Amino acid sequence: MSLKSAIIRMGLRAIDWSRADLWLAPISRGTGIILMFHHVRPASYGAFAPNRLLEITPAFFETVVSMVREAGYEIIAQDVLPQRLREKGGRPFAILTFDDGYRDNAEYALPILRRHALPATFFITTGFADGHGRLWWLELEEAIRRLDRVLFIHDGRDFDLPARDDAEKQIAFETTYWRLRSGDEATLLAVIADLAAQAGIDSRALTRGLCMTWDEIRAVARDPLITIGAHTVSHPMLAKHDDVTARYEIVQSRDRLASEVGINVTHFAYPVGDPGSAGPRDFALAQEAGFTTAVTTRPGHVFAGHADHPHALPRVSVNGLHQSRKTMRALLSGVPFMLWNKGWRLNTR
């Protein structure tokens, strides 16, 4: 576990120990919460699993939805969100969202949703459905798993990172990931493509193996519980690109989904979704494209003020490194985000 994850865990435990989730919840949990998931599947990872934060087990997903209800939230469809944002008082709401279009969402999460009759939104990256989009964060993990040295050049600097055991591989991943994330996306993709080639990884096979095909997406979309939302064409960090590219990624993903699935696509999720990946320009583009709502990954609960900012909505990630009831109690209370955001309820810059 990284230092950042360890600090987060200590903070969540402190909230649980002090029971701040009880006495601060009335002012911290807002009018609702939008939960974010990626993979839902049985645990099968080893000691080196740097992307484990993006997956939870089906059993824990079932625990999550039970705890959401126990905490007094009404789980609603995202189509109802604009109306609920304008209502005053009443029961707090929760929305369940799944990013990228992974096959395990249909295999493991959907049966649980059906069993409890719960609505959810699946945000689809169209390039992944086509089978040629790049899951670069997973390519990087798999390359480092196979290599015993990680060699690359970035900003004129040579990197030679040992990766002989799990501990070294974890350091190599963290170093490479954050170094590349800090720069332009073209360089990130090129460096990871080179590492994948060194390790003998078929990037397209990785995508095809993990992501739903168009036929599978159409089958999911026929379920009345599921709303299909757009998540760009190639999963770029939009803020790193010019207006033309960002607009194309947003609009083309909407149009392609509408064409392939035969639906009106009214909700959008920004890839990566932090302030360095989606900002006011991108919020305006999503509004211009006609989306009713758009969600970020900026952590926080939804407050009444978000009614005026429906294209910059926060979400709460259900982190695979913290699969416990204590953690979920804290997250559902909103207390961690009140502290993280220093009391600010809206973060739309």
Side-chain angles (χ1 to χ4, degrees):
M1 183 183 300
S2 68
L3 177 60
K4 179 180 178 181
S5 294
I7 292 171
I8 291 172
R9 174 168 290 184
M10 286 190 293
L12 293 171
R13 286 178 174 175
I15 291 170
D16 182 75
W17 174 81
S18 66
R19 294 320 313 266
D21 58 303
L22 292 178
W23 51 274
L24 283 176
I27 63 172
S28 63
R29 85 171 182 173
T31 59
I33 185 172
I34 304 174
L35 294 175
M36 175 177 62
F37 306 91
H38 287 83
H39 295 284
V40 178
R41 59 190 181 187
S44 61
Y45 43 77
F48 174 65
N51 286 300
R52 182 158 58 98
L53 75 166
L54 298 177
E55 62 178 279
I56 63 171
T57 66
F60 187 66
F61 178 61
E62 189 131 31
T63 296
V64 169
V65 297
S66 296
M67 291 189 69
V68 169
R69 286 173 148 179
E70 290 166 7
Y73 290 93
E74 178 187 4
I75 299 176
I76 64 171
Q78 196 158 342
D79 286 339
V80 185
L81 178 57
Q83 174 189 337
R84 292 296 289 266
L85 286 173
R86 295 293 179 186
E87 293 177 355
K88 293 184 179 180
R91 189 176 170 190
F93 63 81
I95 295 173
L96 311 178
T97 66
F98 298 80
D99 284 12
D100 299 342
Y102 296 114
R103 185 172 291 110
D104 56 63
N105 295 169
E107 292 178 344
Y108 296 104
L110 184 54
I112 295 171
L113 294 170
R114 287 171 172 162
R115 186 157 59 248
H116 296 279
L118 298 176
T121 303
F122 284 15
F123 287 109
I124 305 297
T125 300
T126 60
F128 296 163
D130 287 333
H132 58 65
R134 291 183 55 195
L135 300 163
W136 58 261
W137 53 99
L138 296 177
E139 290 178 28
L140 178 61
E141 175 180 341
E142 187 58 31
I144 294 176
R145 178 174 289 110
R146 298 186 189 186
L147 298 171
D148 58 14
R149 292 175 67 198
V150 178
L151 303 166
F152 66 95
I153 300 173
H154 188 258
D155 283 346
R157 179 180 170 185
D158 291 334
F159 286 83
D160 184 352
L161 306 172
R164 295 161 297 191
D165 57 33
D166 291 332
E168 288 186 345
K169 290 180 185 296
Q170 184 65 39
I171 293 171
F173 181 91
E174 294 284 342
T175 301
T176 306
Y177 179 93
W178 290 112
R179 180 77 186 188
L180 296 178
R181 270 283 304 271
S182 69
D184 68 276
E185 197 157 19
T187 300
L188 177 150
L189 293 172
V191 169
I192 294 177
D194 181 64
L195 291 172
Q198 292 178 39
I201 295 167
D202 184 338
S203 298
R204 290 197 174 193
L206 182 65
T207 301
R208 288 192 298 269
L210 290 173
C211 296
M212 288 186 283
T213 64
W214 284 113
D215 283 344
E216 290 170 317
I217 293 167
R218 282 187 281 269
V220 167
R222 286 194 289 270
D223 193 307
L225 290 171
I226 302 303
T227 297
I228 298 295
H231 197 38
T232 71
V233 175
S234 65
H235 203 274
M237 292 172 272
L238 291 169
K240 293 178 179 282
H241 296 273
D242 60 33
D243 292 358
V244 172
T245 301
R247 182 178 286 108
Y248 171 84
E249 288 279 345
I250 293 170
V251 173
Q252 178 62 21
S253 65
R254 177 203 65 193
D255 293 349
R256 184 73 192 286
L257 281 164
S259 173
E260 290 284 351
V261 186
I263 56 174
N264 185 26
V265 182
T266 58
H267 306 289
F268 183 78
Y270 305 97
V272 184
D274 63 353
S277 305
R281 190 274 317 258
D282 309 298
F283 305 156
L285 288 175
Q287 182 177 18
E288 176 189 297
F291 289 104
T292 305
T293 70
V295 294
T296 70
T297 63
R298 300 173 187 221
H301 282 219
V302 178
F303 291 87
H306 283 108
D308 296 323
H309 302 279
H311 300 92
L313 296 171
R315 284 193 288 177
V316 172
S317 175
V318 180
N319 191 311
L321 296 175
H322 309 291
Q323 298 184 62
S324 73
R325 294 184 67 88
K326 290 181 179 181
T327 294
M328 280 310 305
R329 272 200 302 268
L331 297 180
L332 292 172
S333 74
V335 173
F337 313 111
M338 183 180 71
L339 300 175
W340 178 268
N341 295 319
K342 300 177 181 178
W344 288 94
R345 293 183 169 185
L346 303 182
N347 182 7
T348 60
R349 290 174 291 178

